Amino acid sequence: MAKFKFEGIRAYIDQLNKLEKGTDEVCKAALYAGADVLADGIKEAIRSLDRVTDAQAMADWKAGKPCKISVSQKIGLVESMGVTPIRDKYGQYDVKIGFDGYNDIKTKHWPNGQPNALIARACESGSTGMIKQPFIRPTEKRLKSAVYDAMDAAANKKLNEITGGE
């Protein structure tokens, strides 16, 4: 009967046990790192959008003409852009990047202000009142490898912290 002898197998098993306990931390660190890179890129894309004054946007809307995003709408998008806390759904982690709340443009229809998610969608896809200026999809495409790199670096850093590696 053949015999196998391993040197240092105990250390290997100890590292595997540490990894098992730290898997959640690694996943969360990687997700946040990737989400942060993408969220920052989307904020920069919003800042670079063509815009019109609030008065011009209102005049165009009253005239029934579509226009570009207004200054207040743009500010509302940048300020409301964020990353949600990580959600664990049966061992599957996810994080969302999006827009929350309302901007400062109050109307009869929106007395609390226009919903930022609605403005982002209208700007991204176009509408009867807003000229299409995609900023999310091009940013996702442009930053795809940077997001993967950030996630890889964060996961490796957390793995090294857990296992005591280099």
Side-chain angles (χ1 to χ4, degrees):
M1 178 182 239
K3 291 185 179 183
F4 293 98
K5 184 176 180 181
F6 290 96
E7 296 292 329
I9 192 73
R10 175 56 45 204
Y12 179 67
I13 291 172
D14 289 343
Q15 278 198 340
L16 289 177
N17 287 332
K18 288 178 187 176
L19 285 175
E20 178 185 15
K21 292 175 187 166
T23 301
D24 294 342
E25 293 176 44
V26 173
C27 293
K28 290 176 182 179
L31 278 175
Y32 273 132
D36 286 342
V37 168
L38 187 56
D40 290 344
I42 292 173
K43 282 183 183 181
E44 283 304 311
I46 294 167
R47 288 184 184 104
S48 68
L49 289 174
D50 291 338
R51 61 174 172 31
V52 296
T53 64
D54 292 345
Q56 180 64 46
M58 186 58 74
D60 287 346
W61 180 77
K62 286 181 180 177
K65 294 182 356 185
C67 68
K68 295 182 178 175
I69 191 168
S70 75
V71 173
S72 293
Q73 290 170 331
K74 194 170 168 178
I75 290 168
L77 290 183
V78 171
E79 289 176 354
S80 71
M81 177 74 196
V83 177
T84 65
I86 289 181
R87 186 174 64 170
D88 179 1
K89 193 172 184 181
Y90 308 111
Q92 180 177 348
Y93 298 108
D94 67 19
V95 64
K96 295 181 181 180
I97 300 170
F99 302 93
D100 187 32
Y102 304 89
N103 63 27
D104 292 335
I105 301 173
K106 296 178 180 10
T107 64
K108 182 180 175 185
H109 191 67
W110 293 297
N112 294 332
Q114 297 170 327
N116 288 314
L118 177 76
I119 300 302
R121 183 159 195 257
C123 187
E124 179 75 13
S125 303
S127 70
T128 56
M130 189 172 288
I131 295 171
K132 182 178 179 176
Q133 295 185 83
F135 63 95
I136 296 174
R137 281 174 277 176
T139 303
E140 287 175 342
K141 188 175 183 179
R142 179 175 52 85
L143 292 179
K144 187 175 183 176
S145 64
V147 168
Y148 287 151
D149 291 344
M151 291 176 76
D152 183 47
N156 285 330
K157 180 180 177 193
K158 190 54 92 172
L159 282 171
N160 287 332
E161 287 174 13
I162 290 169
T163 61
E166 292 132 29

